[in-house]
Amino acid sequence: MTGRHEVGARQGGIPAARRGGIRAAWRVLTVGGVISFRGLFNWLNPYIYVPTMLVSPIFQILLFVYIGRSAGVGSDSFYLIGNAVQYASIPCLFAMANTIAGERWMQTLGIVLSTPANRVALFIGRSLPVIANGWFVATFSLFAGARVLGVDLPVSAWPGIALTIAIASASCTGLGLLQAALALRVRSTAVLSNVVFGVLLVFTGTNVALDTVPEWMASAGRLMPLTHAIEACREIVAGASLSAVAPLLLREAGLGAVFAVLGLAALRWVEAQSRRHATLELQ
Amino acid sequence: MSGLARAVRVLAVGWVLQLKILAVSAFDGILNIVYPLFFATCALLMFRQNGDPQTLVYAGLGAAVMGTWSAMATSASGALQGQRWQGTLELLVTAPTRVALAVLPITAALATVALYSLVATLIWGRVLFGIEVAIVSPVGFAVALLVTLVSLATFGFLLSVTVVRYRTGWALGNLLEYPGWLLCGFLVPLDLFPEWVRWIARALPPTWGMDAIRAAAAGRDPWFDTAVCAGLGIGYAALGAFLSERLIDSARRHATLALT
């Protein structure tokens, strides 16, 4: 991205070479992120997107609402919120794993990893559209699920809900980054994503309040993305203000950041290992 | 060799071959056993809050059979697409036998994996939740289970041939997973649903199979439900065989078998 003629020139105290590097990283982050999302996340095909992202979450919500009614526990609102927010994990986990698996499938993984692109910009850029999509899927699920079940979600609660779901999607995408690192070594990324989804379903208080499960499960759940966001969302719908749930949202965002940093570090390390052991192209 | 013997041989050899393929498949083999366990765990944790041991037994048995639907709906829908990806769909279709006989072993093998899923979930419920599913009528239970699995295989066969020209059939299969879990009476009694939903549920073989399995476990008469389940299974097999000839013939005629 840096022209030869620019080297050595200075503008505003920033060396031209560094300025060019920042511009290149910005392009990788924005343009590269959007292009790779469109190219690699083949679920954007409406024949896949509609059944998988828009209809399935409604049925997941209905399944647990009816199991709750059958067992005589919980309320419709409890299961609606838990499952809608938890469903953000499907687009976030699968899309992030696809950033590696998709490249491998297209036989472009080696090309991508041999470019001198800034790795943080590369992977954060790929995360941003994923977060936006996760937010849309979970918000749509909550809205549509509430309409189907006749659950009243106050209009005043929606800004807080939207913010909470955005943080939940970002946090889950952080975990997705860690999973993307694993995808460099694991061939069956779909299996991996499904298993992580299942673990989140059981441990994050989606369908069973954490104070009713064994302590070790609750402790494990509090270290996972979505747990605090689901709790915050339930409190917001119950009438809590944003400031009241701020500690929960901060914990959720903090966890997401930790997972993202771990993911980026793991990506760097596994990439080096994969080059050394010639295991980039696993298939 | 008579025609019937040849058909049985094709089915048996195909079933063994497909079972071997599934045994080493992380997605269709292992995940089909593990994935329903997460949902079963959630359901059992929910029912445990109720505090009634009888409802936990009800849920334990239902959660175990729930996985059988999962194996079938998701994987059968993508079965022919899988053959397409592997480049073997044309070979399967041009084999000197009926298409039904070449495709049915795939879903029969999936039904066998479903049996593994069922046993795994029963053990899971016993070890983690202490659920002891007492079976008063073992013979009735075994027959009901077998008929349920065979009916699921024929239902899966119908599903797989119906979506042969739908490139993303697996997404349809994913979509069917939750409604099947919801409607077949695994964990939710049908009387919680409106009448029109119950009619849909009654058209699905596992609904009757689940009733028969519960009846046999409780010592009630399972034979009527088993017979209806078997009848539906035969019906779906006949419909699948009929459609397989026409849909695949049409795909060949329009050169859309490969779809790529």
Side-chain angles (χ1 to χ4, degrees):
Chain A
M1 299 301 294
T2 306
R4 192 184 291 270
H5 61 278
E6 287 180 297
V7 176
R10 295 180 74 86
Q11 188 182 340
I14 303 172
R18 191 170 165 210
R19 207 168 56 236
I22 292 171
R23 202 184 309 137
W26 177 251
R27 277 180 60 79
V28 166
L29 186 120
T30 52
V31 181
V34 171
I35 289 176
S36 73
F37 183 70
R38 289 175 60 195
L40 295 175
F41 193 53
N42 62 0
W43 288 13
L44 292 177
N45 173 346
Y47 287 101
I48 301 175
Y49 196 90
V50 172
T52 308
M53 298 290 177
L54 303 182
V55 183
S56 265
I58 308 301
F59 278 112
Q60 182 181 319
I61 290 165
L62 287 174
L63 173 70
F64 282 103
V65 163
Y66 273 92
I67 292 176
R69 289 179 185 178
S70 172
V73 294
S75 65
D76 290 1
S77 169
F78 181 87
Y79 299 113
L80 165 69
I81 295 167
N83 288 285
V85 177
Q86 193 269 345
Y87 207 84
S89 62
I90 288 280
C92 294
L93 295 174
F94 279 81
M96 287 317 292
N98 258 26
T99 61
I100 297 297
E103 298 281 10
R104 187 185 287 138
W105 181 254
M106 306 273 187
Q107 300 186 352
T108 48
L109 183 60
I111 297 168
V112 168
L113 294 183
S114 63
T115 63
N118 180 305
R119 292 295 186 264
V120 175
L122 183 75
F123 287 108
I124 295 293
R126 287 167 182 231
S127 307
L128 296 178
V130 173
I131 294 170
N133 186 44
W135 178 86
F136 173 73
V137 168
T139 307
F140 174 83
S141 307
L142 189 58
F143 177 77
R147 301 283 295 184
V148 170
L149 290 165
V151 172
D152 181 37
L153 299 176
V155 176
S156 59
W158 275 101
I161 290 171
L163 177 68
T164 305
I165 291 177
I167 293 172
S169 301
S171 170
C172 204
T173 304
L175 178 63
L177 270 168
L178 190 58
Q179 201 188 305
L182 287 175
L184 275 172
R185 301 306 288 265
V186 176
R187 203 190 308 246
S188 301
T189 54
V191 175
L192 180 67
S193 299
N194 275 304
V195 169
V196 176
F197 168 79
V199 170
L200 291 176
L201 185 75
V202 174
F203 283 87
T204 55
T206 302
N207 294 301
V208 188
L210 289 188
D211 54 9
T212 63
V213 297
E215 185 49 38
W216 69 270
M217 281 182 74
S219 303
R222 288 189 193 98
L223 295 174
M224 293 179 192
L226 300 179
T227 305
H228 300 99
I230 290 171
E231 193 180 340
C233 206
R234 283 183 181 136
E235 288 189 18
I236 288 170
V237 171
S241 65
L242 258 184
S243 56
V245 297
L248 285 170
L249 296 182
L250 282 174
R251 274 201 285 274
E252 181 74 31
L255 268 173
V258 168
F259 276 114
V261 170
L262 282 175
L264 288 169
L267 274 164
R268 193 180 184 84
W269 183 73
V270 181
E271 181 191 336
Q273 291 291 311
S274 300
R275 285 164 180 251
R276 193 168 294 129
H277 296 106
T279 53
L280 270 182
E281 307 291 348
L282 276 172
Q283 61 194 355
Chain B
M1 193 182 278
S2 71
L4 181 64
R6 270 202 304 274
V8 171
R9 186 175 174 278
V10 169
L11 286 174
V13 172
W15 174 73
V16 171
L17 178 70
Q18 295 298 335
L19 204 54
K20 283 181 182 174
I21 294 170
L22 287 179
V24 292
S25 163
F27 192 86
D28 289 326
I30 299 164
L31 190 64
N32 271 338
I33 296 170
V34 174
Y35 192 67
L37 286 180
F38 292 116
F39 287 85
T41 305
C42 277
L44 294 178
L45 283 169
M46 288 165 72
F47 274 94
R48 196 171 65 171
Q49 290 178 67
N50 173 294
D52 179 1
Q54 275 314 109
T55 57
L56 201 56
V57 172
Y58 167 89
L61 198 52
V65 186
M66 194 169 83
T68 61
W69 173 266
S70 192
M72 196 48 64
T74 312
S75 301
S77 304
L80 291 187
Q81 178 70 357
Q83 298 290 330
R84 188 176 283 136
W85 281 340
Q86 291 160 28
T88 48
L89 183 57
E90 287 83 354
L91 297 175
L92 207 66
V93 167
T94 55
T97 185
R98 287 190 170 277
V99 174
L101 294 179
V103 176
L104 199 53
I106 302 175
T107 54
L110 286 169
T112 313
V113 172
L115 182 62
Y116 276 102
S117 167
L118 187 144
V119 173
T121 312
L122 279 177
I123 294 171
W124 187 259
R126 176 75 185 88
V127 173
L128 266 76
F129 294 89
I131 301 171
E132 286 185 52
V133 179
I135 298 167
V136 177
S137 168
V139 175
F141 186 87
V143 173
L145 185 57
L146 188 68
V147 168
T148 304
L149 289 174
V150 172
S151 304
L152 265 170
T154 59
F155 182 74
F157 164 60
L158 172 67
L159 208 55
S160 65
V161 295
T162 307
V163 298
V164 67
R165 291 173 74 173
Y166 181 33
R167 202 186 303 252
T168 51
W170 62 268
L172 182 71
N174 280 357
L175 179 64
L176 291 177
E177 190 167 40
Y178 289 127
W181 284 350
L182 191 59
L183 296 181
C184 291
F186 299 131
L187 294 164
V188 182
L190 291 190
D191 51 17
L192 287 184
F193 297 116
E195 186 57 31
W196 66 271
V197 176
R198 280 183 239 168
W199 277 103
I200 299 172
R202 287 189 196 110
L204 300 170
T207 306
W208 298 91
M210 188 70 241
D211 279 349
I213 288 168
R214 280 197 210 285
R220 299 192 307 271
D221 180 4
W223 302 113
F224 175 73
D225 291 324
T226 305
V228 176
C229 183
L232 280 173
I234 292 167
Y236 282 122
L239 188 59
F242 174 78
L243 286 178
S244 66
E245 297 297 332
R246 272 137 198 89
L247 288 175
I248 291 178
D249 196 41
S250 165
R252 292 170 73 180
R253 195 173 300 121
H254 294 95
T256 52
L257 200 56
L259 277 182
T260 48

